Every structure is written in structure tokens, then in C-alpha cells.
Amino acid sequence: MKNFVVKTIANAGALAVAIWLIGDITLEGGSTGRKALTVILVALIFGLVNFLVKPVVQLLTFPLFILTLGLITLVVNALMLLLTSWLASVFDLSFHVEGFWTAVLGGLIISVVSWALNVVLPDEN
């Protein structure tokens, strides 16, 4: 359970950094507390998408993974971020990613920041 909370916090931090750095990834809302809650909820959705959908997509794109020497991972991460944006709009959360190339850059930033936060944060089960 603690590992789940740590990964959610890391995803929320990574999403916050991407929102801060990229103008086309937006988070709208009123107060700072409301925005923080929205980022945490989007991080939960992002974690579920990465847990449930990403392995299936990676399995289906495995030949492309070999052919592109792993660069297809950027596309898969972008698609997962776009799916998260769509699901956030379904749940009426004010998180939006504008366009594929924004999602590619956002996915790259989120991957790097999430990796760094997972290294720093404690990892216990």
C-alpha cells in the first residue's frame, strides 16, 4: 500500500512539473488546494492507465520496439498521456493535453521526473 502511495505521489509530482514546463498541458481550477487534488486524481488515473493499458500496448508494439530500437516508447508514453487527458475530461477534471507532440514532450518529462522521484522517495511494500 505504501508503494502505491509513493508511486502516486511521484506521478503527481511529475505531472505537476510537466504542467509547469509545457504551456499546452493545462490544469485549470480555482484554489491551489483544488488544483492539488486534481493533480492527485489525474495521477491516479495515469497510474491506472500505465498499469492496465500500457502493457497491452507494449506487447502489441513489440516488433516496432525492436525495429526502432526502443524509440516507440516515446509514442506509447504520449498515447498513455493522451488517454489520461481524455479520461480526465470524462471524469470532469480540468486536465488537458493539447496535441500529440505536446504529449510526446510531456511523456518524456513525466518519465524523467517520475524516475528521479522514485529514486529519491522510499520504496517499501
Side-chain angles (χ1 to χ4, degrees), residues 23-115:
D24 287 337
I25 299 178
T26 58
L27 179 71
E28 299 167 358
S31 65
T32 304
R34 176 95 172 129
K35 287 182 180 180
L37 179 63
T38 302
V39 167
I40 291 171
L41 291 174
V42 170
L44 286 171
I45 293 171
F46 188 65
L48 284 173
V49 165
N50 281 330
F51 180 73
L52 297 174
V53 178
K54 191 174 182 179
V56 174
V57 173
Q58 285 178 329
L59 181 66
L60 294 174
T61 60
F62 185 70
L64 288 173
F65 182 81
I66 293 172
L67 186 65
T68 63
L69 301 175
L71 289 177
I72 193 71
T73 304
L74 293 173
V75 173
V76 170
N77 288 342
L79 293 175
M80 296 305 107
L81 189 57
L82 286 171
L83 180 59
T84 301
S85 175
W86 178 76
L87 287 171
S89 68
V90 167
F91 290 114
D92 201 30
L93 298 171
S94 59
F95 174 77
H96 182 68
V97 178
E98 185 68 38
F100 176 75
W101 292 109
T102 302
V104 170
L105 182 59
L108 184 62
I109 291 170
I110 290 169
S111 295
V112 171
V113 173
S114 180
W115 170 80

